[in-house]
Amino acid sequence: MDILTVGDAAIDMTLYISSANEVKIPGTDDSQICFLHGSKVPVEKFSTAIAGNSVNVAVGCNRMGLKVGVYTEIGDDQNGEKIVNELKEKGINTDYCIRNNGQDTDVHSIIVHNYERTIFSYHAPRNYKVRGWEKPTFIYYTSIGDGFEKFQEELIKYIEENKDIIVVFNPGSHQMRMGFNHIKEFLEITSILILNLEEAVRLVGEKPLPKMHIDLQKLGPKLTVITDGKNGASGFDGENLVKVSAYTDGREVKDKTGAGDAFSSGFISAIFHKKSLKEALGWGAINSFGEITKESAGTGLFTKEEMEKTVRKII
């Protein structure tokens, strides 16, 4: 197995909304959308898709030619069955998609307005544990809900016993909310850390980009990646700081859901295929853009052949 992704899986229920009042927050580039409480809000379109960071990255790496497995704890319900069946159809190993009797699979509700998305995420407490999975080349550890600390301790021991595994860490929202002390020990055994700018600031504070990378690597990771939306992405391998611009081929942006996971799968796949840091960042940027030009999750992801043709235009 080339990569095992580890983390919560879910069903995304996406509502595309046009009639909302958008209010800019003074002094920022952010805005709020407002609905009249108690009213009925028209929905233009509605869709459901399998999701969760572990699933999204697995699907992206699979399209890039990697042999992929997913370890997740899900419910023993129709949504859990949907996740397993769709992953199997894509050729992804689901032996470690564990269905728990009497539990429901997580469901995330997403509102898309003016191409931006707001996610109402729910991560039920799950009993994750190191299982007898086939040893992977990469482990991609990402979003898990309450109780992740106990499993994380087990995972650290497993990695310390298998030091040749390349460990990629992309902490989820709950892990970041719990704070640095709850992920400190995992950062110490991380090979590649992928964060967005906001997450990086939460860990090391706001400072010039080179200093942020240096301080992140002091926490343990050997390679750090910071994504910054329309401003592109950067990576630091301890010696070289490399930046790439956000990619576009002129297509319209339709839905930014999954952009970060698409970046991660593109970047990791490039590293697996022995590409340079700059090219890996390019794979991430291109894959992310492809995903946000499609309304259905996973439909904008590139294959390895498509990526190699496209990346020549920017690298």
Side-chain angles (χ1 to χ4, degrees), residues 173-192:
S173 56
H174 180 70
Q175 291 153 321
M176 290 297 300
R177 281 197 301 271
M178 292 299 290
F180 169 70
N181 287 335
H182 290 259
I183 60 174
K184 175 180 180 293
E185 291 184 359
F186 199 85
L187 287 167
E188 292 172 358
I189 53 91
T190 294
S191 310
I192 303 172

Side-chain angles (χ1 to χ4, degrees), residues 13 17 21 23 35 44 50 63 65-66 120 135 143 154 160 168 178 212 223 232 235 237 281:
M13 296 195 307
I17 306 293
N21 295 320
V23 181
F35 306 105
E44 289 186 339
I50 64 172
R63 284 186 61 79
L66 278 65
F120 297 84
K135 183 179 174 182
S143 182
E154 289 186 34
E160 288 176 340
V168 186
M178 292 299 290
M212 292 182 73
L223 174 60
D237 62 7
L281 291 168

Side-chain angles (χ1 to χ4, degrees), residues 19-175:
S19 57
N21 295 320
E22 187 169 334
V23 181
K24 287 289 183 182
I25 301 174
T28 74
D29 294 329
D30 301 325
S31 61
Q32 298 173 328
I33 55 172
C34 304
F35 306 105
L36 183 62
H37 186 56
S39 64
K40 289 186 177 180
V41 179
V43 175
E44 289 186 339
K45 285 181 290 186
F46 172 83
S47 66
T48 62
I50 64 172
N53 302 117
S54 63
V55 167
N56 294 340
V57 171
V59 171
C61 290
N62 178 63
R63 284 186 61 79
M64 293 285 187
L66 278 65
K67 296 177 182 177
V68 183
V70 177
Y71 171 46
T72 186
E73 299 280 343
I74 52 180
D76 189 23
D77 55 5
Q78 288 184 339
N79 286 333
E81 183 177 6
K82 177 180 174 68
I83 290 170
V84 170
N85 288 342
E86 291 197 20
L87 290 175
K88 281 183 178 179
E89 288 173 2
K90 298 177 187 299
I92 294 171
N93 186 338
T94 61
D95 291 347
Y96 315 117
C97 294
I98 310 302
R99 301 180 66 180
N100 293 268
N101 291 332
Q103 295 187 20
D104 294 326
T105 300
D106 295 348
V107 176
H108 300 163
S109 299
I110 302 173
I111 295 175
V112 177
H113 176 68
N114 282 350
Y115 310 127
E116 285 287 3
R117 83 285 188 272
T118 301
I119 303 176
F120 297 84
S121 64
Y122 172 69
H123 293 269
R126 304 287 188 196
N127 185 27
Y128 279 84
K129 60 185 71 175
V130 171
R131 298 182 181 270
W133 50 60
E134 175 190 342
K135 183 179 174 182
T137 303
F138 286 71
I139 281 182
Y140 184 88
Y141 175 49
T142 186
S143 182
I144 296 179
D146 286 340
F148 71 87
E149 295 92 342
K150 181 180 178 182
F151 165 68
Q152 187 171 274
E153 290 177 6
E154 289 186 34
L155 187 57
I156 290 171
K157 291 179 181 177
Y158 172 80
I159 292 165
E160 288 176 340
E161 293 169 357
N162 296 275
K163 294 184 180 295
D164 54 335
I165 293 176
I166 299 169
V167 181
V168 186
F169 188 25
N170 175 227
S173 56
H174 180 70
Q175 291 153 321

